Amino acid sequence: MVKRKLKIASSADNRPTFSHFAAFATGIAYFLATPAQAQNDKMTPIPTPAQRDGIVLGTGPVPGSMAPESWYRQYDRSFARNVTVATLTPFLPSPAKSSGTAVIVAPGGGFRSLSMENEGSDVARALAARGVVAFVLKYRLIPTPSDPAAFARSMAEMFAGAGRPRAQSNGGSAASLDPQLADARAAFAMIRKRSAEWHVDPTHIGMVGFSAGAMLTLQTALRGQDAKPAFIGIIYGPLEPVTVPAEAPPLFVALAADDPIFGGRGMGLIQSWMAAKRPVEFHLYEQGGHGFGMYHKETTSTGWFDAFVQWLGMHKLLKPGERS
């Protein structure tokens, strides 16, 4: 159970602090979405897929990383860890159906793993079906032990005692999102460079992220320099106040009130966007927990995706025939 003394905080320049990472790491323990999936919570190693459609972003390896990328199954979905080479995988609608709007999808996983299906390819395929050009960003991760048992132990140790992670041996990388932010910036640059090929409007490229990916999405909007997302979606991410840039993009937020990580911790992010007079839409669902993503549940949180697509349509980012 998450201890209530766990504090979510931010630094004055919008950079994430150790407690952000503690929350995301602890959130892994709450990733399961339904009782049936809870029965499949064991991590089962699987062969690393070929990923032939993944495009290398060229942001370099993770400093100090020794273990190779590996994948496993948990909660009936696939996860990746020890990602040292960032890639971008396109999910393209037919040119005739494309709205010209693109969305970069950033999965979550505490910056130590990536939920490649529930918060990655499942989301991208659903967006492509609505005429959105979608891309799954497999961003670089904090290194973890290559041995599955050692990985599980390291995760347990990391969020033991209020979930506060220890400083990392690779120069304290847990205190910074700079490598992941570089991956996000490279993804935006690549899509703009190949926008004609992918039938994308370069001014209509946004980003949606889940949990840890939501943090990355927000940081991309706040300090991503040339990334400049046209819109962002924060799905069960932190909601503490931030300093909002004058030209901040429209913001969509979805969170369950019973989220054990971010529920009941205030709505500072929403208030910050409103105070800056920037567009914001907030959906607070009564139930859903943390990590619901694209799982089918008997809670209204399952409706976040349709709400997000409708929000895109409201902002004239979809063709009329592709809004539902």
Side-chain angles (χ1 to χ4, degrees):
M1 180 175 292
V2 175
K3 301 188 184 222
R4 289 298 176 187
K5 66 180 180 180
L6 181 64
K7 183 180 180 182
I8 305 299
S10 63
S11 58
D13 64 352
N14 288 332
R15 292 174 183 266
T17 63
F18 269 112
S19 53
H20 286 103
F21 289 88
F24 286 117
T26 309
I28 294 174
Y30 289 90
F31 196 85
L32 49 110
T34 69
Q37 284 142 3
Q39 298 174 10
N40 298 307
D41 61 350
K42 182 180 178 180
M43 296 180 184
T44 303
I46 60 174
T48 300
Q51 305 172 76
R52 295 183 180 87
D53 294 331
I55 304 168
V56 175
L57 289 172
T59 48
V62 175
S65 178
M66 301 295 291
E69 178 178 323
S70 61
W71 286 53
Y72 62 95
R73 293 282 292 180
Q74 190 177 28
Y75 313 126
D76 295 326
R77 296 295 188 275
S78 296
F79 294 76
R81 64 187 185 92
N82 285 326
V83 174
T84 61
V85 177
T87 63
L88 191 68
T89 301
F91 290 78
L92 309 178
S94 66
K97 190 175 183 179
S98 177
S99 63
T101 293
V103 175
I104 296 171
V105 180
F111 297 105
R112 286 158 176 77
S113 68
L114 290 174
S115 176
M116 294 301 294
E117 286 187 286
N118 183 50
E119 297 170 353
S121 59
D122 290 350
V123 180
R125 288 191 183 93
L127 286 169
R130 304 296 184 94
V132 176
V133 186
F135 300 86
V136 174
L137 174 61
K138 190 180 73 173
Y139 52 87
R140 292 171 292 169
L141 298 173
I142 296 170
T144 58
S146 58
D147 177 68
F151 169 60
R153 288 194 300 270
S154 72
M155 297 302 294
E157 292 173 359
M158 183 175 57
F159 53 70
R164 188 176 180 83
R166 300 173 181 176
Q168 300 297 302
S169 59
N170 57 351
S173 65
S176 171
L177 288 184
D178 288 346
Q180 294 80 16
L181 193 56
D183 297 342
R185 291 178 59 194
F188 275 92
M190 176 173 288
I191 296 171
R192 290 191 175 109
K193 182 178 180 180
R194 300 177 63 173
S195 59
E197 173 188 349
W198 286 327
H199 302 279
V200 169
D201 182 337
T203 66
H204 287 177
I205 306 172
M207 188 172 183
V208 62
F210 302 78
S211 192
M215 176 192 288
L216 176 56
T217 298
L218 180 59
Q219 290 298 310
T220 301
L222 296 177
R223 58 187 190 94
Q225 300 178 30
D226 53 350
K228 299 186 183 303
F231 55 89
I232 58 172
I234 303 298
I235 315 301
Y236 41 85
L239 299 186
E240 74 272 11
V242 298
T243 301
V244 180
E247 298 301 320
L251 167 65
F252 177 95
V253 178
L255 179 71
D258 64 349
D259 187 312
I261 309 304
F262 300 118
R265 300 186 183 278
M267 304 177 187
L269 178 65
I270 311 303
Q271 294 168 333
S272 296
W273 238 256
M274 293 177 65
K277 300 187 185 305
R278 301 303 299 153
V280 56
E281 179 158 326
F282 179 36
H283 293 255
L284 181 64
Y285 298 100
E286 177 185 345
Q287 298 178 34
H290 188 81
F292 46 84
M294 297 298 284
Y295 283 122
H296 294 292
K297 302 181 68 176
E298 295 182 356
T299 61
T300 53
S301 60
T302 302
W304 78 266
F305 179 80
D306 288 336
F308 178 65
V309 171
Q310 291 171 350
W311 179 76
L312 292 177
M314 182 182 71
H315 281 276
K316 312 300 182 185
L317 293 167
L318 299 179
K319 293 180 180 179
E322 304 299 338
R323 294 186 186 180
S324 61

